[in-house]
Amino acid sequence: MGDGIVKRGFLLKLATALAPTGLALFVFASLLGHPETFSLSLCEGETVNTAPFIIRLEHSAEVRNEQNAVTDWYSRLWIHTSDGVTVGTARVGRPFVLGGWRFYQSGWEKVADKGVVSTLQCKYDPLVPVKAIGLWTLLSAGLIIMAGAVMTGKSGRRIWLIVIIFILF
């Protein structure tokens, strides 16, 4: 194990360098990022002009199971940007993503005079990729420690404790 590219202790040094870097990236992006969030209520066929784009709610519906209970709502959106028109579907818990914007289905109701009114939560956070890189770097540090423990045959309690500490913090 001492010869070659992976020398004794190299993986541990690599992991101890990656862990604080990943943590710093994540904390930096979380503290400095100020996501822009706003809410829209749209009727089917209605178009709203917001600052960066124009949203049109084409269709909204509910999904029911065999017992006729509502399990999900979805909204079919047409979003006009300077790049053109993009069509997508926003669901509860599964947003439609377009250029850093996330469109969440946050409400849905039938109104007598308007038909179906769909409430969308629109969120823009430019530092989401930085947060993701920080988390993946932190997780990869834990995986490198586990790989080093397996390669050296020291996969005892101490190594697993270090891995758990790196993943949690």
Side-chain angles (χ1 to χ4, degrees):
M1 182 62 71
D3 298 334
I5 297 174
V6 181
K7 297 190 179 194
R8 175 168 266 155
F10 171 76
L11 289 177
L12 186 59
K13 289 177 185 175
L14 178 65
T16 55
L18 283 177
T21 303
L23 186 61
L25 278 173
F26 183 76
V27 170
F28 170 76
S30 297
L31 292 176
L32 293 182
H34 298 287
E36 180 180 344
T37 304
F38 60 92
S39 185
L40 293 172
S41 291
L42 301 167
C43 298
E44 286 186 338
E46 184 178 4
T47 303
V48 175
N49 189 356
T50 61
F53 42 76
I54 299 170
I55 298 178
R56 180 176 188 273
L57 178 61
E58 178 188 346
H59 177 70
S60 224
E62 58 190 17
V63 179
R64 295 181 174 268
N65 62 10
E66 295 82 26
Q67 292 80 24
N68 205 24
V70 177
T71 58
D72 197 7
W73 299 288
Y74 71 89
S75 292
R76 189 91 171 138
L77 304 172
W78 288 35
I79 301 177
H80 303 265
T81 62
S82 58
D83 297 333
V85 177
T86 304
V87 179
T89 302
R91 292 180 175 263
V92 174
R94 290 177 275 171
F96 170 57
V97 180
L98 176 66
W101 283 91
R102 296 181 186 277
F103 302 93
Y104 295 90
Q105 176 77 43
S106 61
W108 191 89
E109 70 177 305
K110 292 180 182 177
V111 179
D113 59 337
K114 293 184 176 183
V116 176
V117 175
S118 187
T119 304
L120 299 172
Q121 196 73 24
C122 307
K123 184 176 181 180
Y124 178 70
D125 189 356
L127 294 177
V128 166
V130 177
K131 291 177 188 177
I133 290 170
L135 282 176
W136 282 109
T137 305
L138 193 58
L139 288 174
S140 66
L143 291 174
I144 289 171
I145 289 175
M146 286 189 332
V150 169
M151 290 171 62
T152 58
K154 296 181 180 178
S155 56
R157 288 173 141 191
R158 188 171 142 219
I159 296 296
W160 289 109
L161 182 63
I162 292 171
V163 170
I164 291 171
I165 289 171
F166 269 167
I167 290 175
L168 291 177
F169 297 103

